[in-house]
Amino acid sequence: MNSVSCSQIRQVEKLKEHWPGVFTSKAENEVSWFQPYPETSIEFLELFNLPHDANIIDIGGGESQFVDALLERGFKNIWLLDISATALDHVKKRLGDKADQVHFVVSDVVAFKPEVQFDFWHDRAAFHFLTSEEQINKYVSIAEGAIRPNGHLILGTFSDKGPTKCSGLEIKQYTQASMSSRFEKAFERIKCIEVEHSTPFNTTQFFLFCSFKKK
Ligand SMILES: C[S@@+](CC[C@H](N)C(=O)[O-])C[C@H]1O[C@@H](n2cnc3c(N)ncnc32)[C@H](O)[C@@H]1O
C-alpha cells in the first residue's frame, strides 16, 4: 500500500467520525443546511413525471426531509445513502413504520456498489465535500454506472458565491460550467439554477442546482 492510499484511508476514517458526531450533537434544525421542506429538489423531481415504481436514491441524504416528501408522493423504491449511520437511524425513527419502505445504505459514496440502476439520483450538499480529483472522478464514474440511460441526476452544491467550508470541512464550489464539465461525458445538462438557502441562523448560502440526463 502506498502513502497516498494510507492518507486517504485516514481521511475516510476521519469523515466516518466527523458526520455521526454532527448528527449526535445537533438537532435536525440546528445545522446550516436544514430545510423544513426540500422545495428545489421536489421542483426538479416533478419536472420528470417519474412513475411510482421509479428507483430513486438520495446521496448523502443525512436527516433531510426529501425521503419524507418522496414517500408522501407514493414513490415505492427509495434508497437513502449516507456515510453516517447516526443520521440514518434518526430518519428511521422519524419515519416509524414507513421506514420499512426505504433501503438504507451506510456507505462512503465513493465506495458505493449499487445493486440496481436508478431513474433519479439526487444529491444536495454531499458531492461538494469531495475535494480530490480521485474522489470526484470515482463519484462521477459510480453515477455513470448507476444511472440508467435517460435517467436523471440532480446535484446541489455551493456555488462560486457560496461558502468555502461546510460543517468545518473544506468543500469545492461549482459553477454551471465546472459542474457540467465533470459530467458531460455521459450526461446531457438540462438546466442549472442558483438558489439562495436561508440557514436557521438567518444567514444566506448560495447553492447551484443542476439537472442532467444520462445519454
Ligand atoms: C451538508 S449535509 C446535507 C444533508 C442532506 N443532503 C440535506 O440536504 O439536508 C451532507 C451529508 O452528506 C453526508 N456525507 C458527507 N460525505 C459523504 C460521503 N463521502 N459519502 C456519503 N455521505 C457523505 C453527511 O453525512 C451528511 O449527511
Side-chain angles (χ1 to χ4, degrees):
M1 189 177 293
N2 63 36
S3 60
V4 175
S5 54
C6 281
S7 80
Q8 281 166 349
I9 289 167
R10 276 198 296 277
Q11 204 190 350
V12 171
E13 292 310 318
K14 219 173 100 191
L15 289 176
K16 282 185 181 161
E17 284 171 21
H18 173 83
W19 287 106
V22 171
F23 292 112
T24 304
S25 61
K26 290 181 194 286
E28 191 183 347
N29 61 355
E30 287 175 347
V31 291
S32 59
W33 54 90
F34 172 73
Q35 309 175 279
Y37 181 75
E39 200 178 323
T40 307
S41 305
I42 292 296
E43 277 170 18
F44 272 106
L45 176 86
E46 288 182 340
L47 288 177
F48 305 122
N49 285 321
L50 295 172
H52 282 154
D53 63 355
N55 288 344
I56 299 180
I57 187 159
D58 191 15
I59 299 290
E63 296 178 346
S64 159
Q65 302 273 338
F66 187 56
V67 62
D68 309 54
L70 291 172
L71 288 167
E72 271 162 30
R73 278 165 180 70
F75 289 105
K76 296 181 193 325
N77 295 315
I78 304 169
W79 278 256
L80 180 53
L81 176 144
D82 205 280
I83 200 166
S84 166
T86 312
L88 299 190
D89 285 344
H90 291 172
V91 174
K92 281 181 198 165
K93 209 164 163 191
R94 185 177 77 217
L95 293 177
D97 291 347
K98 285 189 269 176
D100 296 344
Q101 299 171 46
V102 178
H103 304 268
F104 292 91
V105 183
V106 179
S107 173
D108 179 352
V109 61
V110 298
F112 179 38
K113 296 195 169 45
E115 287 171 4
V116 299
Q117 282 218 306
F118 296 100
D119 300 283
F120 190 86
W121 172 294
H122 171 265
D123 177 330
R124 173 179 180 267
F127 177 61
H128 67 192
F129 287 105
L130 305 179
T131 52
S132 75
E133 279 300 300
E134 188 179 354
Q135 289 175 318
I136 295 168
N137 291 339
K138 262 195 194 157
Y139 183 106
V140 172
S141 121
I142 291 168
E144 283 175 358
I147 300 173
R148 70 161 177 78
N150 297 321
H152 292 98
L153 160 68
I154 311 297
L155 278 176
T157 66
F158 286 156
S159 79
D160 56 351
K161 287 196 264 165
T164 54
K165 283 190 164 190
C166 180
S167 191
L169 301 173
E170 298 289 335
I171 63 91
K172 199 166 174 65
Q173 298 178 331
Y174 284 91
T175 61
Q176 176 168 319
S178 63
M179 192 186 285
S180 306
S181 74
R182 291 287 178 184
F183 290 92
E184 66 190 356
K185 198 174 93 199
F187 295 88
E188 174 196 328
R189 188 181 70 227
I190 303 172
K191 76 164 184 175
C192 296
I193 55 170
E194 196 168 48
V195 177
E196 278 183 54
H197 165 62
S198 302
T199 73
F201 324 118
N202 293 321
T203 57
T204 297
Q205 295 177 332
F206 286 91
F207 273 76
L208 174 76
F209 276 83
C210 290
S211 57
F212 298 90
K213 185 173 175 180
K214 178 85 184 294
K215 292 177 188 167

